[in-house]
């Protein structure tokens, strides 16, 4: 094992434990009696109830819409199913806080749990739909045919054969939805719906990282860890693969018959409220604002800084993922798994908790890096490392080490062999992971608000400043640019899922 790879991997793993260590240290420093008094109080119980109800209602709705939409597109004779396949994934390109901005423009009185569930469901159901559709597309139809030949009806085949094989996709999508719900700030703040994330931001702005905010962060981290444990238990250890090539025929599509019209109506209604309303509202504000809203220097500056931070975050995160991916692929064992787990736990934390950790550490240990670009980029790395790690790990696994060994046998040094052989083979996977990180940085809000250097404004932060000030006309260009930059990456993610399914 190269010592440089080992040292870099351990350093990245240790850095990823800083936010978790911050939460533990703040809880201990606060003292047991004070911590209990700050946590066990009506306000915290109210926030806990809001957050838990939000998750318990939104996640099942996203599962129903995601799995139901995937089944209609992939397993029925739905007319224009290829068009619906793209439209069902498209809402992922619209950030949740942009979605809330559009709907608040239409219904200014929207507030509370019901509207929070509504906006969150429209924004996050594609996180379930995309993996579920990809899994349905590559399932072996022989299993369903066998069940049907034994007298099982279509519904029994779906619930007894198809749905169990979607467990990994469904639980993974549900986990992503749940973590997004815990970390979302802009959408819920705009709708005046209080969650732990909005309350922590209020505490930070009023008391600058006081004890109350730290205790709220500790409860939020505990909820994240509970979600990770529940997802692991729900996923189980069952095998979902088999030996042999399986059936080569495409899965049969069920006729909808009289249900064709209701299915088309439901999908059309979903497309209208998830895509049509936000795009129409943004278009209306753009028309009302006229050409002058595009002439402000702040727009060009925010676009340039968003692209620059996205590029820095993508490069830094992909570079940090290389040693961890190399360790996981070439030297699998307890060390690589432990380091990966540390990164996954950190990335599951809301951005506001990670930002609070770095604010505190920077002010006490390294005040010179407080509100600097390097500190912000480090936060991006820890938040979005798994996006690059998963993609790069798959790319390195497909790069045979024998080719690198052959290059070394021909006189190349290890580093030269890696750059000339392995890196070239893994480059497409690295580019895909970097693209996903770039998209995440582009739409990140809370960590950027707390850690960005003074004078820095991204599309997301500038949009938030204008929309929270009820300047909906001025915020429209920023919303449109975020959607236009996010749409190609969303389509790329959809296409990659189809390629994984062999389509």
């Amino acid at each position: 094992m190269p010592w440089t790879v080992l040292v870099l991997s351990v350093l990245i793993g240790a850095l990823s434990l800083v936010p978790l260590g911050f939460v533990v240290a703040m809880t201990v420093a606060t003292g047991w009696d004070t911590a209990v008094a700050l946590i066990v109080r009506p306000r915290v119980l109210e926030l806990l109830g809001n957050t838990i109800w939000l998750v318990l209602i939104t996640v099942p709705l996203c599962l129903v819409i995601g799995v139901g939409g995937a089944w209609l597109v992939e397993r029925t004779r739905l007319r224009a199913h290829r068009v619906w396949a793209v439209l069902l994934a498209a809402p992922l390109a619209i950030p949740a806080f942009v979605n809330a901005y559009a709907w608040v423009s239409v219904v200014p009185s929207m507030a509370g749990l019901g509207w929070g569930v509504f906006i969150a469901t429209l924004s996050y159901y594609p996180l379930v739909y995309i993996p579920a559709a990809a899994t349905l597309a590559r399932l072996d139809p022989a299993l369903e045919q066998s069940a049907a030949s034994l007298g099982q009806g279509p519904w029994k085949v779906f619930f007894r054969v198809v749905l169990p094989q979607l467990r990994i996709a469904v639980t993974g999508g549900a986990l992503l939805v749940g973590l997004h719900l815990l970390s979302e700030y802009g959408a819920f703040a705009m709708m005046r719906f209080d969650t732990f994330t909005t309350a922590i931001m209020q505490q930070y702005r009023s008391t600058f990282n006081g004890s109350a905010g730290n205790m709220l962060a500790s409860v939020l981290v505990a909820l994240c860890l509970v979600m990770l444990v529940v997802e692991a238990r729900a996923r189980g250890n069952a095998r979902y693969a088999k030996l042999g090539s399986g059936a080569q025929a495409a899965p049969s599509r069920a006729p909808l018959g009289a249900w064709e019209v209701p299915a088309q109506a439901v999908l059309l209604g979903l497309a209208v409220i998830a895509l049509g309303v936000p795009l129409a509202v943004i278009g209306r504000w753009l028309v009302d604002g006229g050409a002058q809203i595009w002439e402000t220097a702040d727009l060009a500056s925010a676009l340039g800084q968003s692209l620059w931070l996205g590029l820095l975050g993508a490069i830094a995160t992909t570079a940090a993922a290389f040693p961890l991916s190399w360790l996981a692929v070439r030297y699998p064992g307890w060390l690589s798994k432990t380091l990966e787990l540390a990164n996954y736990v950190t990335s599951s934390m809301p951005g506001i908790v990670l930002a609070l950790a770095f604010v505190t550490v920077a002010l006490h240990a390294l005040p010179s890096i407080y509100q600097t670009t390097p500190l912000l980029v480090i936060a991006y790395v820890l938040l979005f490392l798994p996006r690059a790690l998963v993609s790069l790990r798959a790319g390195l696994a497909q790069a045979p080490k024998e080719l690198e060994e052959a290059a070394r046998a021909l006189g190349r040094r290890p580093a030269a062999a890696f750059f000339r052989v392995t890196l070239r083979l893994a480059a497409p996977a690295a580019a895909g992971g970097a693209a996903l990180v770039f998209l995440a940085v582009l739409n990140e809000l809370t960590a950027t608000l707390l850690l960005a250097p003074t004078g820095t404004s991204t599309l997301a932060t500038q949009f938030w400043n204008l929309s929270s000030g009820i300047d909906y006309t001025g915020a429209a260009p920023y919303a449109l640019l975020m959607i236009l930059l996010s749409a190609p990456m969303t389509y790329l993610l959809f296409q990659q899922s189809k390629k994984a399914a062999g389509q």
Side-chain angles (χ1 to χ4, degrees):
M1 183 185 301
W3 68 270
T4 52
V5 173
L6 177 61
V7 170
L8 289 174
S9 299
V10 172
L11 288 177
I12 296 171
L15 184 62
S16 67
L17 293 177
V18 169
L20 185 60
F22 157 78
V23 173
V24 174
M26 289 298 101
T27 303
V28 173
T30 302
W32 176 255
D33 293 337
T34 305
V36 171
L38 290 173
I39 293 176
V40 184
R41 55 193 174 109
R43 175 59 174 166
V44 176
L45 295 178
E46 177 189 353
L47 295 173
L48 183 62
N50 287 347
T51 304
I52 291 178
W53 278 115
L54 178 69
V55 172
L56 291 180
I57 298 175
T58 304
V59 171
L61 286 175
C62 289
L63 291 177
V64 171
I65 296 174
V67 175
W71 182 77
L72 284 174
V73 168
E74 299 294 340
R75 290 306 180 89
T76 70
R77 297 176 188 173
L78 182 74
R79 295 177 184 177
H81 64 90
R82 295 183 184 277
V83 175
W84 288 120
V86 177
L87 290 179
L88 285 172
L92 196 61
I94 303 178
F97 53 86
V98 173
N99 214 344
Y101 148 83
W103 277 96
V104 167
S105 301
V106 177
V107 188
S109 61
M110 65 186 300
L113 175 62
W115 283 109
V117 169
F118 178 77
I119 294 298
T121 302
L122 294 182
S123 301
Y124 297 135
Y125 83 82
L127 295 174
V128 177
Y129 162 75
I130 292 177
T135 304
L136 279 173
R138 65 172 179 265
L139 288 183
D140 186 353
L143 299 176
E144 300 164 58
Q145 294 166 3
S146 298
S149 67
L150 294 174
Q152 301 293 314
W155 288 107
K156 288 186 177 180
V157 170
F158 176 78
F159 284 104
R160 292 186 178 184
V161 179
V162 177
L163 194 57
Q165 296 181 83
L166 296 178
R167 176 180 291 187
I168 292 179
V170 166
T171 55
L175 176 63
L176 289 177
V177 172
L179 293 177
H180 275 80
L181 293 175
L182 293 186
S183 62
E184 180 59 43
Y185 166 69
F188 299 140
M190 196 169 293
M191 294 184 294
R192 303 180 301 280
F193 175 59
D194 292 333
T195 64
F196 275 108
T197 302
T198 61
I200 292 171
M201 182 66 82
Q202 292 169 3
Q203 287 288 336
Y204 175 83
R205 288 179 170 177
S206 61
T207 62
F208 195 71
N209 194 22
S211 298
N214 292 332
M215 291 304 99
L216 292 176
S218 67
V219 177
L220 193 56
V221 170
L223 290 176
C224 290
L225 296 178
V226 168
M227 281 192 178
L228 291 173
V229 172
V230 170
E231 188 272 340
R233 294 292 299 272
R235 184 181 352 119
N237 297 315
R239 283 178 55 88
Y240 296 92
K242 68 173 187 175
L243 296 177
S245 58
Q248 299 301 313
S252 60
R253 291 181 174 269
L256 288 174
W259 292 98
E260 173 77 24
V261 174
Q264 294 283 356
V266 170
L267 292 179
L268 179 61
L270 181 62
V272 168
I273 62 176
L275 288 173
V277 171
L279 294 178
V281 169
I282 292 172
R284 188 194 77 184
W285 287 120
L286 290 173
V287 172
D288 292 345
Q292 62 268 22
I293 61 175
W294 294 95
E295 297 172 357
T296 174
D298 292 338
L299 182 62
S301 175
L303 176 60
Q305 293 188 41
S306 294
L307 295 175
W308 172 241
L309 288 175
L311 183 63
L312 285 179
I315 293 174
T317 305
T318 306
F322 257 104
L324 292 169
S325 303
W326 183 271
L327 200 67
V329 172
R330 297 296 174 86
Y331 304 96
W334 67 269
L335 179 59
S336 62
K337 292 181 180 179
T338 302
L339 293 175
E340 278 190 273
L341 179 62
N343 285 285
Y344 284 129
V345 170
T346 299
S347 66
S348 69
M349 295 181 184
I352 191 170
V353 176
L354 189 143
L356 287 175
F358 278 110
V359 167
T360 303
V361 171
L363 289 176
H364 288 82
L366 297 168
S368 60
I369 68 171
Y370 174 61
Q371 284 195 326
T372 62
T373 299
L375 184 63
L376 180 60
V377 171
I378 291 174
Y380 289 153
V381 170
L382 297 187
L383 279 173
F384 307 125
L385 185 59
R387 300 186 183 220
L389 184 61
V390 171
S391 180
L392 190 55
R393 186 175 57 191
L396 288 175
Q398 295 174 359
K401 64 179 181 180
E402 289 79 9
L403 296 180
E404 189 176 332
E405 293 171 353
R408 294 175 62 181
L410 293 174
R412 297 291 182 184
R413 294 182 178 274
F418 170 77
F419 283 104
R420 285 181 171 268
V421 178
T422 305
L423 186 59
R424 289 186 178 183
L425 294 175
L436 292 177
V437 174
F438 178 86
L439 175 61
V441 172
L442 182 70
N443 296 326
E444 208 288 322
L445 181 61
T446 51
T448 307
L449 285 173
L450 295 182
L451 295 176
T454 302
T456 299
S457 62
T458 65
L459 291 174
T461 59
Q462 194 67 8
F463 166 83
W464 174 249
N465 292 333
L466 291 170
S467 60
S468 59
I470 320 298
D471 185 3
Y472 291 155
T473 301
Y478 298 92
L480 181 62
L481 286 177
M482 281 190 287
I483 293 174
L484 292 178
L485 292 174
S486 300
M489 303 312 306
T490 301
Y491 183 74
L492 175 64
L493 178 61
F494 173 75
Q495 288 297 106
Q496 287 296 108
S497 69
K498 290 296 182 183
K499 289 182 180 178
Q503 297 184 355

